Amino acid sequence: MDIVVNEDLQAYIDPLTAEEHEALERSLLAEGCRDALVLWGNVLVDGHNRYGICRKHGLPFQTVQNTRFQSIEDVHLWMIDQHLGRRSVSDFQRGVLALRKREIVAKRRTETPAAPREAALASPAELPAAGGSPPPERLDTREALAKAARVSSNQIVMIEKIRKQAAPEVVAAVKSGTISINAAAAVATLPAEEQVAAAAAGKDELKQAAKRAREARRKPRGEAATASQDTAEAAADSHDTLETLRQRVSILTAENRALREQVATLQQQLQARMGAVPESEDAASPF
């Protein structure tokens, strides 16, 4: 059988680094190709690096058919699950794979049962009989994605931001381990040309760019906090003014009450004095 290497499938998973490829080559030369290559019909699904090294050195290898694949989506889901379970895959790569899996699962759930599946990579005559694939688990929550990728929920959010907003140069930097997921997510919020320039300048500049991005996010929050504090202080001032006015009114009311009492007392005294005038004085009047 002539094995077909499909470029899209080969590129679907991030390639090995030069060091990883050299280590795999040394292992195959020393121990041989112990794991069988996985095929879908005559299309190579898993083992592209081993296949290339074995052909280069003339090493023997075995193949096995996966009869459960019904569509290219089945192949993609299987490839994703295989790599999610490998320790050598970085946190960022696992997060990206989990997000890809979510997209496939969501697409499948929107399809009607009668909707046709995607065309196969190889011709039907070259494919084995389909055995069916179990439905994948739901990945419609952040927690489910984090569990599938074996990362934290916050990391999933950052990885999704990097995937959507980061320039390719920044993505390459986080894939290579030049910067962390956290730093890459911060840099991804900057304009594209600034991201590219920072990536071109190297690790230190990327870290500085991440710092600038974080500070830019904190500034509006600081202004908002200041505005909130000003509002609170203004409210406090208004409250103090109101209390002062209330106290002033209370004092004036008390003073008014005291003045009324004084007036009433004076009136009573005046009436008392007027009532005490002798009648003889009236009789003695010449008028």
Side-chain angles (χ1 to χ4, degrees), residues 6 8-9 40 42-44 72 75 118-123 126-127:
N6 181 275
D8 291 337
L9 283 182
W40 180 32
N42 64 343
V43 178
L44 182 60
I72 187 61
V75 175
E118 192 172 342
L121 288 176
S123 64
E126 296 172 326
L127 298 179

Side-chain angles (χ1 to χ4, degrees), residues 4-26:
V4 175
V5 176
N6 181 275
E7 293 182 358
D8 291 337
L9 283 182
Q10 187 174 11
Y12 193 71
I13 303 296
D14 289 335
L16 298 178
T17 64
E19 293 78 10
E20 290 170 339
H21 193 276
E22 290 175 2
L24 177 61
E25 187 171 19
R26 289 194 299 270

Side-chain angles (χ1 to χ4, degrees), residues 15-262:
L16 298 178
T17 64
E19 293 78 10
E20 290 170 339
H21 193 276
E22 290 175 2
L24 177 61
E25 187 171 19
R26 289 194 299 270
S27 175
L28 292 177
L29 288 172
E31 304 176 9
C33 187
R34 295 178 298 179
D35 298 326
L37 310 182
V38 179
L39 302 178
W40 180 32
N42 64 343
V43 178
L44 182 60
V45 172
D46 185 63
H48 291 88
N49 293 295
R50 285 175 284 139
Y51 178 64
I53 294 171
C54 287
R55 289 193 60 188
K56 175 182 176 182
H57 297 284
L59 301 176
F61 58 85
Q62 296 180 339
T63 63
V64 61
Q65 288 284 344
N66 190 319
T67 59
R68 303 184 70 176
F69 296 148
Q70 292 182 312
S71 70
I72 187 61
E73 290 178 348
D74 288 337
V75 175
H76 286 162
L77 286 173
W78 184 88
M79 293 175 71
I80 288 171
D81 287 339
Q82 292 297 306
H83 283 78
L84 283 175
R86 293 176 180 173
R87 295 181 179 179
S88 60
V89 180
S90 69
D91 289 347
F92 177 75
Q93 290 173 318
R94 285 200 302 272
V96 171
L97 291 173
L99 290 169
R100 287 181 183 175
K101 184 174 183 178
R102 181 184 67 179
E103 292 169 358
I104 296 173
V105 172
K107 179 182 176 182
R108 283 196 166 183
R109 291 189 181 280
T110 60
E111 293 177 349
T112 59
R117 290 292 183 86
E118 192 172 342
L121 288 176
S123 64
E126 296 172 326
L127 298 179
S133 300
E137 70 275 19
R138 297 181 68 92
L139 295 173
D140 49 3
T141 66
R142 185 187 303 176
E143 290 72 20
L145 279 171
K147 182 178 179 181
R150 303 203 311 277
V151 298
S152 69
S153 297
N154 288 337
Q155 283 180 309
I156 279 291
V157 173
M158 290 187 287
I159 291 169
E160 189 167 20
K161 179 183 292 184
I162 295 168
R163 191 176 178 222
K164 291 181 177 180
Q165 299 176 220
E169 292 82 357
V170 175
V171 175
V174 72
K175 282 182 178 180
S176 65
T178 302
I179 57 173
S180 66
I181 293 173
N182 191 309
V187 174
T189 63
L190 298 173
E193 59 273 13
E194 190 172 349
Q195 294 186 43
V196 174
K203 181 177 181 178
D204 291 340
E205 181 56 31
L206 279 169
K207 289 183 177 180
Q208 290 300 316
K211 183 179 179 181
R212 291 195 299 273
R214 295 188 187 105
E215 290 175 349
R217 288 204 306 271
R218 292 191 190 105
K219 186 175 180 181
R221 293 179 184 175
E223 293 174 351
T226 302
S228 177
Q229 183 177 0
D230 291 343
T231 302
E233 290 175 354
D237 291 342
S238 299
H239 178 73
D240 291 343
T241 302
L242 182 60
E243 283 298 314
T244 301
L245 291 173
R246 286 175 177 172
Q247 292 175 4
R248 183 62 178 165
V249 169
S250 178
I251 292 172
L252 292 173
T253 301
E255 291 177 351
N256 188 28
R257 186 183 302 113
L259 288 172
R260 288 180 179 178
E261 291 175 354
Q262 290 178 4

